């Protein structure tokens, strides 16, 4: 009898405890249930970022044509992607544009909704972006060559992202995707473009050599190092090829550098990789590329002074919507600024039109 | 599931703002309905929704979300602890009343691991029912196990208090992790 009574009291106490615990936590249950339900309702169907691309035998990869979809990036952010019939961002045709911007994911507008990317923010400037995430300078040059007959009379802006365009132009692969690259010809200063290895197969040969520390590579590009010497030499070769192409095809070429967010942070900044900031010369890439542009007679537009750390996403090195607004403002005023500036003259006499040396 | 998804995507932050607005609106509406009139419930809910919509783009939303997620994780831990204690209590009482002794260690200090003969025959059928169906079927199979049905509500609460990381583990595998 006593045992049964104790059991009953204990059970009732347990039930009371459960009721109190559940009552106290009812806001948590309600908010969690509503959040999960509403998030499921608010989320449109999305593509993973890898599903945006298709193999391209000349360039390694390109974005799929006629996309109008949501894409989820590596960090879980979802954004609206629109591409034209060639896979370039936006629906605007090349012919109706005054300014054509070649570049990588920054030009593609990766990470922000299509409507918030810079080409849509300066309609009066009629900007067409021709860019694909992950492209290096070699791919951008090859693409410029492909489109050269349609660029005559236009202002072409070549976005050079210091964060990865420079050193990835020296690499045969990007995260396992085979990519055109440049290598030094035997004996010296000349470079050649290599693309005989391009195929849809994953590149495994560099698995053990691939740098696992992007910050160290970035720091090396901001100092006088062996890597920097090679990267800026290759960059000079590629910009020279671009300058020749512009003269040959009759378009104006300007070079616009995009700083890595780490270079925009103060030396006292904290965060992953920030210890490399202390050994970096943030102005070095712009100095080196400006010197190259001066030699080639190309206008040089550094974004270093126009962007701040707040214009980049917190978790990666793409621009926020504010960053795109700033770049749109620079592009909108660029034709007038270039017209007002004295015409740059190449240091060396104009070389005869020459095809870019291409292997493969 | 009473915890929030981590790490939050933008859509989770937006849903969280609306969820807070609706929850606050329901609470305010209930209060107004008690002290004023039924119209108060609508007014309260409307105000809550407006507040939630206004908070959609607010900068501190991420911090609030993470703070709420931390609190709800702590609460989930407390719920799991209390539910396990309660289940254990019910189990102990039922086992004692059924005439069984609760053996916490084998007298020979050997493993208490025993084969699960029912698994081979009923695994696929139980897997189709999910763990709840499988448990109810097992409890109903014999009158001596009907007491186990009393545990089911507490087990449901226990399952609902799982975090995403725990829920990601397969639930019907006969494996030692």
């Amino acid at each position: 009898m006593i045992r049964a009574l104790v059991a009953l009291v204990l059970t009732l106490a347990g039930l009371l405890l459960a009721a109190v615990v559940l009552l106290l936590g009812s806001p948590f249950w309600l908010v969690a249930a509503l959040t999960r339900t509403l998030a499921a309702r608010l989320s449109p169907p999305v593509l993973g970022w890898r599903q945006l691309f298709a193999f391209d035998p000349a360039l390694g990869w390109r974005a799929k044509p006629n996309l109008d979809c949501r894409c989820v990036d590596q960090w879980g952010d979802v954004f609206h992607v629109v591409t034209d019939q060639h896979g370039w961002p936006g629906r605007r045709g090349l012919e109706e544009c005054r300014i054509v911007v070649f570049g990588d994911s920054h030009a593609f507008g990766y990470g922000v909704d299509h409507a918030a990317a810079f080409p849509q923010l300066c309609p009066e400037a009629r900007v067409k972006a021709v860019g694909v995430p992950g492209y290096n300078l070699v791919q951008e040059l090859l693409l410029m060559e492909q489109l050269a007959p349609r660029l005559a009379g236009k202002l072409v802006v070549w976005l050079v992202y210091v964060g990865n365009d420079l050193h990835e132009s020296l690499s045969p692969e990007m995260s396992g995707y085979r990519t055109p690259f440049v290598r030094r010809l035997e004996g010296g200063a000349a470079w050649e473009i290599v693309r005989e290895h391009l195929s849809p197969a994953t590149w495994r040969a560099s698995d053990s050599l691939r740098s696992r520390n992007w910050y160290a590579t970035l720091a090396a590009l901001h100092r006088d190092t062996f890597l920097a010497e090679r990267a800026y030499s290759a960059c000079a070769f590629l910009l020279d090829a671009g300058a020749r192409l512009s003269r040959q095809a009759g378009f104006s070429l300007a070079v616009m550098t995009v700083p890595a967010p780490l270079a925009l942070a103060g030396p006292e900044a904290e965060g992953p990789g920030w210890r490399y900031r202390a050994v970096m010369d943030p102005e070095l890439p712009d100095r080196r590329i400006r010197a190259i542009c001066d030699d080639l007679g190309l206008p040089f537009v550094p974004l270093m002074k126009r962007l701040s750390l707040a214009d980049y996403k917190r978790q990666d090195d793409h621009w926020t919507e504010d960053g795109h607004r700033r770049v749109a403002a620079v592009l909108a005023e660029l034709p007038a600024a270039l017209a007002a500036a004295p015409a740059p003259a190449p240091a060396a006499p104009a070389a005869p039109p020459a095809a870019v040396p291409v292997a493969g | 599931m009473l915890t929030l998804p981590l790490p939050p995507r933008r859509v989770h932050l937006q849903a969280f703002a609306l969820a807070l607005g609706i929850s606050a609106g329901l609470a305010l509406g209930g209060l107004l309905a008690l002290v004023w009139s039924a119209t108060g419930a609508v007014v309260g809910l409307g105000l809550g929704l407006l507040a939630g919509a206004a908070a959609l783009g607010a900068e501190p939303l991420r911090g609030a979300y993470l703070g709420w997620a931390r609190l709800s994780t702590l609460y989930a831990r407390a719920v799991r602890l209390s539910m396990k204690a309660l289940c254990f209590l019910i189990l102990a009482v039922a086992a004692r009343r059924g005439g069984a002794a609760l053996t916490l260690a084998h007298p020979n200090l050997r493993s208490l691991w025993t084969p699960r003969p029912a698994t081979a025959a009923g695994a696929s059928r139980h897997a189709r029912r999910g763990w709840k169906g499988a448990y109810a079927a097992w409890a109903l199979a014999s009158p001596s196990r009907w007491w186990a049905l009393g545990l089911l509500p507490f087990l449901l609460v226990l399952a609902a208090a799982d975090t995403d990381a725990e829920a990601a583990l397969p639930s019907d595998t006969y494996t030692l992790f």
Side-chain angles (χ1 to χ4, degrees):
Chain A
M1 179 66 189
I2 292 174
R3 263 191 201 174
L5 198 63
V6 170
L8 183 67
V9 169
L10 281 176
T11 307
L12 285 176
L15 287 172
L16 191 65
L17 170 72
V20 169
V21 166
L22 295 180
L23 194 67
L24 279 178
S26 55
F28 293 118
W29 297 93
L30 184 63
V31 169
L34 282 172
T35 300
R36 286 176 186 272
T37 308
L38 290 170
R41 298 257 172 189
L42 291 172
S43 301
V46 292
L47 291 181
W49 65 276
R50 287 181 188 275
Q51 294 172 276
L52 294 181
F53 310 113
F55 173 67
D56 182 289
L59 300 165
W61 65 90
R62 70 163 70 197
K64 290 177 183 167
N66 301 314
L67 290 174
D68 185 353
C69 63
R70 304 269 161 187
C71 171
V72 59
D73 68 12
Q74 300 93 310
W75 314 99
D77 267 346
V78 177
F79 54 96
H80 183 205
V81 173
V82 174
T83 60
D84 63 15
Q85 71 270 33
H86 304 291
W88 317 131
R91 293 278 190 235
R92 192 177 282 141
L94 205 55
E95 278 67 27
E96 58 186 287
C97 294
R98 288 166 57 201
I99 302 177
V100 184
V101 179
F102 284 83
D104 59 359
S105 48
H106 292 88
F108 187 77
Y110 190 84
V112 296
D113 286 337
H114 163 70
F118 66 81
Q120 273 59 250
L121 301 179
C122 47
E124 71 290 346
R126 286 186 284 144
V127 176
K128 173 73 180 175
V130 179
V132 179
Y135 268 16
N136 60 29
L137 297 178
V138 185
Q139 288 163 301
E140 288 152 17
L141 175 66
L142 294 174
L143 190 51
M144 217 180 284
E145 271 196 313
Q146 281 184 8
L147 300 178
R150 299 165 64 194
L151 297 176
K154 298 183 188 297
L155 170 59
V156 170
V157 176
W158 195 347
L159 278 188
V160 178
Y161 177 46
V162 175
N164 58 23
D165 281 0
L166 297 167
H167 66 271
E168 284 183 358
S169 297
L170 306 171
S171 169
E173 58 93 30
M174 195 279 302
S175 299
Y177 292 93
R178 293 161 185 259
T179 174
F181 69 106
V182 284
R183 71 178 166 211
R184 257 194 173 125
L185 290 170
E186 254 182 77
W191 294 82
E192 68 170 350
I193 292 175
V194 183
R195 52 182 179 181
E196 70 236 18
H197 64 303
L198 294 186
S199 84
T202 305
W203 179 267
R204 301 261 179 225
S206 308
D207 277 357
S208 59
L209 301 171
R210 195 178 296 146
S211 170
R212 300 198 187 283
N213 191 341
W214 176 67
Y215 292 110
T217 305
L218 193 60
L221 288 169
H222 287 75
R223 291 167 60 100
D224 289 324
T225 59
F226 178 69
L227 174 68
E229 188 278 321
R230 276 174 55 79
Y232 292 110
S233 172
C235 177
F237 162 74
L238 293 165
L239 293 185
D240 179 43
R244 288 166 189 263
L245 189 63
S246 71
R247 288 193 290 272
Q248 192 180 12
F251 61 85
S252 308
L253 180 64
V255 175
M256 182 180 278
T257 50
V258 180
L262 190 61
L264 292 169
E268 72 291 345
E270 291 178 357
W274 295 117
R275 64 195 172 94
Y276 290 98
R277 171 63 184 80
V279 298
M280 284 168 53
D281 174 359
E283 310 275 350
L284 184 138
D286 278 353
R287 281 203 307 275
R288 297 291 297 263
I289 296 173
R290 179 189 290 277
I292 296 167
C293 288
D294 287 348
D295 281 348
L296 298 172
L298 293 176
F300 175 69
V301 186
L303 289 178
M304 186 87 172
K305 303 291 180 203
R306 303 295 294 263
L307 294 173
S308 72
L309 197 55
D311 295 321
Y312 290 79
K313 293 190 158 198
R314 195 182 301 178
Q315 70 272 31
D316 68 24
D317 48 356
H318 293 111
W319 293 324
T320 59
E321 293 179 359
D322 279 346
H324 276 271
R325 268 194 285 276
R326 287 186 202 282
V327 174
V330 174
L331 286 170
E333 64 197 40
L334 190 59
L338 292 180
V356 178
V358 172
Chain B
M1 193 73 70
L2 63 81
T3 53
L4 297 175
L6 287 173
R9 286 166 37 193
R10 190 186 302 168
V11 72
H12 290 131
L13 298 179
Q14 291 168 344
F16 175 68
L18 290 174
L20 273 188
I22 291 171
S23 306
L26 284 174
L28 183 64
L31 196 67
L32 287 177
L34 278 179
V35 299
W36 182 28
S37 72
T39 320
V42 180
V43 172
L45 189 59
L47 284 174
L49 273 173
L50 277 178
L56 278 179
E59 184 58 29
L61 197 56
R62 191 181 181 83
Y65 184 100
L66 293 174
W68 188 278
R70 197 168 299 131
L71 279 178
S72 62
T73 304
L74 287 175
Y75 170 70
R77 201 173 295 162
V79 167
R80 286 201 301 275
L81 195 68
S82 54
M83 289 302 123
K84 280 177 192 169
L86 206 56
C87 290
F88 189 74
L89 183 72
I90 292 172
L91 202 60
V93 170
R96 177 63 61 90
R97 285 186 66 82
L102 189 65
T103 309
L104 293 177
H106 196 279
N108 298 332
L109 293 178
R110 288 187 315 202
S111 169
L112 290 173
W113 184 257
T114 55
R116 188 186 176 191
T119 305
S124 59
R125 194 174 68 246
H126 286 169
R128 276 199 302 276
R129 286 176 181 166
W131 73 267
K132 294 182 267 298
Y135 180 86
W138 173 82
L140 287 169
S142 161
S144 65
R145 295 184 202 144
W146 286 356
W147 63 267
L149 286 174
L151 275 181
L152 194 54
F154 302 105
L155 293 177
L156 288 173
V157 173
L158 192 57
D162 269 356
T163 60
D164 283 315
E166 288 157 337
L169 293 174
S171 61
D172 196 30
T173 54
Y174 193 52
T175 310
L176 288 177
F177 289 101

